[in-house]
Amino acid sequence: IFFIAVMATALLGILWRSSPSTALDRILGKFCKTAPAPGDHFVARWRTILILVGVNVLFFVSNSIDLTYIGSDLELPRHLTYSEFVHQGTNSLIASAIIAAIVLGLLFQQDGSVTSSRAIRGLAALWIAQNILLIANVARRVGIYINDYHLSVLRLHLILFLGLVCIGFALLAIRIVGHKSLGWLIRANLAAAFVLFASIQFWDTRRFVAEYNLARALEDQGKSLDVYYLTGLGPSAWPTLREASAARLSRREREDAAEALAWIVGQEQQDAEGEDWRDFRWERNQLRKELLAVHN
């Protein structure tokens, strides 16, 4: 909590009108100066339009193929796993985000007499919309993966990352349409990233993942519960394992959950004997008490 308070205070100084904020604008101004007015506005405008038309066509073809493939419920090629399927989409998203940020950032650092054209701003907005469509395609890939396997902490973080990237593109659109500065865009993205990282500290993602996977296994008997993965999630998954050992699952899954709990109880009893006050963590201690009270 102290660390988050310090970081929030520092961030407020960067975002709001204050000395750090002014200093950041000066630093950005030195490295990201607006290009001088071109000698030939006609050439500069058409050069920018052709660049935006080219990237929009490329993204349109890519997104169309992706949507056709995913929307048709086609089976994956034999040499391609679902993990590779998701990773390819994620890598494409990261590459497109970097390309879009760099290209749009450079294009709209040109003189306002070039970028004020409605056609240029419209093409830029269309490219941003296609990037958001790409995010939706990646989210669909992740959804297919989770539906066929199970939710993991890494996949949950990937979903949060997709949301953050989507917010970044929305801020980029506001910057272009609202004639905002590059400094404003950087500060706004810093704020969005900080809010995500600060808020997630108060959310037990491991417990959420464990409860989600158990709920899916109970809803669909064809989905097996990965007890081994739940065991690796640590104390946050102990209540879910206890529930799984007595839930309406297959006999094998209930036995696996019971065996995992028995092993955890043995480990926790050994660890408790060698711990002192420096190892105390309130939440883990409460979960340990509940676990040992049931199995002793």
Side-chain angles (χ1 to χ4, degrees):
I1 294 175
F2 176 76
F3 173 76
I4 292 177
V6 171
M7 294 300 297
T9 303
L11 193 65
L12 285 173
I14 295 175
L15 297 177
W16 268 258
R17 292 300 175 186
S18 59
S19 297
S21 175
T22 305
L24 179 63
D25 283 338
R26 287 201 299 268
I27 294 173
L28 293 174
K30 291 182 180 180
F31 293 98
C32 305
K33 293 181 179 179
T34 301
D40 193 332
H41 287 79
F42 179 81
V43 173
R45 285 183 180 180
W46 275 104
R47 178 182 58 203
T48 304
I49 289 174
L50 289 176
I51 291 173
L52 291 174
V53 168
V55 294
N56 270 294
V57 170
L58 288 174
F59 271 65
F60 177 78
V61 172
S62 175
N63 282 327
S64 297
I65 294 173
D66 213 15
L67 283 174
T68 301
Y69 187 85
I70 296 177
S72 301
D73 295 327
L74 298 176
E75 295 183 0
L76 293 179
R78 294 181 179 178
H79 66 278
L80 186 66
T81 65
Y82 276 107
S83 178
E84 293 171 341
F85 183 65
V86 174
H87 291 164
Q88 288 178 6
T90 306
N91 293 335
S92 298
L93 171 65
I94 295 173
S96 68
I98 294 174
I99 293 172
I102 293 176
V103 173
L104 288 174
L106 291 176
L107 289 179
F108 282 87
Q109 283 301 107
Q110 298 181 92
D111 187 73
S113 60
V114 177
T115 57
S116 60
S117 168
R118 288 186 178 181
I120 292 176
R121 294 186 180 276
L123 288 169
L126 179 60
W127 191 16
I128 292 174
Q130 293 208 68
N131 275 280
I132 294 177
L133 181 59
L134 178 61
I135 295 174
N137 289 341
V138 176
R140 174 60 176 157
R141 290 170 182 254
V142 177
I144 294 173
Y145 195 15
I146 293 174
N147 184 64
D148 285 2
Y149 291 90
H150 62 272
L151 181 64
S152 67
V153 175
L154 184 61
R155 290 160 202 162
L156 179 60
H157 288 170
L158 175 57
I159 294 173
L160 296 175
F161 166 74
L162 295 177
L164 183 62
V165 174
C166 192
I167 291 173
F169 278 116
L171 293 172
L172 184 59
I174 294 174
R175 189 242 166 166
I176 293 173
V177 176
H179 304 278
K180 301 289 185 179
S181 67
L182 183 61
W184 175 90
L185 179 64
I186 293 176
R187 289 197 300 269
N189 277 280
L190 282 175
F194 176 80
V195 169
L196 174 62
F197 289 128
S199 59
I200 200 175
Q201 305 302 317
F202 302 97
W203 180 26
D204 193 344
T205 54
R206 293 174 178 265
R207 185 163 191 165
F208 174 82
V209 168
E211 292 176 349
Y212 176 89
N213 288 336
L214 177 59
R216 286 298 308 275
L218 291 173
E219 290 175 2
D220 186 356
Q221 297 298 324
K223 304 292 182 184
S224 60
L225 182 66
D226 191 343
V227 175
Y228 178 78
Y229 178 76
L230 294 188
T231 305
L233 290 178
S236 298
W238 294 348
T240 305
L241 282 172
R242 288 205 312 270
E243 186 178 350
S245 63
R248 292 181 291 100
L249 298 172
S250 67
R251 180 179 178 181
R252 177 63 180 275
E253 290 171 326
R254 293 197 304 269
E255 290 177 351
D256 287 346
E259 290 177 3
L261 285 172
W263 179 82
I264 291 171
V265 167
Q267 290 294 116
E268 290 301 310
Q269 288 175 337
Q270 292 180 7
D271 293 343
E273 294 175 358
E275 290 181 355
D276 57 22
W277 63 271
R278 291 170 297 180
D279 300 307
F280 178 80
R281 283 177 288 175
W282 185 86
E283 185 176 6
R284 183 189 181 97
N285 189 58
Q286 293 299 115
L287 291 170
R288 175 188 285 170
K289 286 181 178 179
E290 295 176 7
L291 183 65
L292 296 180
V294 173
H295 290 269
N296 285 338

